[in-house]
Each structure stands twice: as C-alpha cells, then as structure tokens.
Amino acid sequence: MNWYETLAKPAWAPQANVFGIVWSILYPIIFIAYGYVIFRVVRGEYPTSLLVPVLINLAANFAFTPIQFGLRNLWLAEIDIVIVLATIVWSMIVIWPHSKPAAVALTPYLIWVMIATALQSSITWLNR
C-alpha cells in the first residue's frame, strides 16, 4: 500500500480505508448473486453458458489486487478493471432472463466498479 500512496490521484479519490469497507459489503452480495446462479447451473436449471461471464468476472476481480499492488502495473490493472466492468454488465444481461433478483443484486457492484474504473483510469493517466 505504501507504493499506492505515492501515486498521483485525482482530487476525488476515496481514502484508502473506503475500499475495504465497500468491498466488505460487496463481496457478500457478489457471493450470493453469483452463488445462486452457479448453484442453479450445477443443478441443470440454468444454461452452462451463464458461467462464462461470471467466471471471467470473478477471475478478473481477484486478479486485480495482485496486478495493481503485486506487479504494480497500472496499464495491466486498467485492462483488468475494464474486463471486470464489462463482465458485470454481461453477467447482468445474461442472468436477467433467468433471475431478475440476482441480476439486480449486482447493481451496487456495477456502480462501484464504474467508479473504480474511472479512478483507475485517472491514476493510470496521471502516473504515465
């Protein structure tokens, strides 16, 4: 985190402790929404194709921290967060016909990742 603190950030960047609070709220929501979909796919009630955006999203989400803070690669983190954002939208679209509540439950995740994507883009640009 010391490295992150040295980066130039936009004036509107949240304090570092906000990220932990937000993710501690979002991860249970993601777990419930995606868990429900995965459970229904495993039971054969939903098509297996629903897993494509869900699994890409989860992989990209969990890859972000090692890319950003381990590799310290802002450009790769930028690409990764765009993948996270795109796969949330894709997930919501493909889940909607099967479970509107599960799709809607992802809305806070979508909103936060939109903000996080704008922040990452700003940080990447400011530190080029």
Side-chain angles (χ1 to χ4, degrees), residues 2-126:
N2 292 337
W3 167 77
Y4 182 77
E5 294 303 321
T6 66
L7 295 174
K9 293 176 215 55
W12 56 270
Q15 296 295 319
N17 65 330
V18 171
F19 294 93
I21 294 166
V22 170
W23 283 111
S24 68
I25 294 166
L26 290 179
Y27 277 131
I29 294 169
I30 296 164
F31 177 79
I32 291 167
Y34 281 165
Y36 175 77
V37 171
I38 293 167
F39 175 76
R40 299 293 293 263
V41 167
V42 168
R43 288 184 52 160
E45 298 169 4
Y46 289 176
T48 307
S49 61
L50 293 184
L51 295 181
V52 175
V54 170
L55 295 178
I56 293 170
N57 177 266
L58 293 174
N61 183 318
F62 290 119
F64 181 81
T65 298
I67 291 169
Q68 176 84 317
F69 299 103
L71 297 177
R72 297 181 178 181
N73 187 323
L74 296 175
W75 289 100
L76 188 55
E78 176 75 21
I79 292 166
D80 182 78
I81 201 161
V82 169
I83 292 169
V84 173
L85 179 60
T87 55
I88 295 169
V89 173
W90 183 13
S91 294
M92 292 174 78
I93 291 168
V94 299
I95 291 169
W96 181 262
H98 304 281
S99 175
K100 289 172 183 49
V104 171
L106 294 171
T107 303
Y109 181 32
L110 174 64
I111 293 168
W112 177 252
V113 172
M114 289 171 68
I115 294 166
T117 301
L119 177 61
Q120 182 63 40
S121 297
S122 296
I123 291 170
T124 300
W125 180 255
L126 291 170

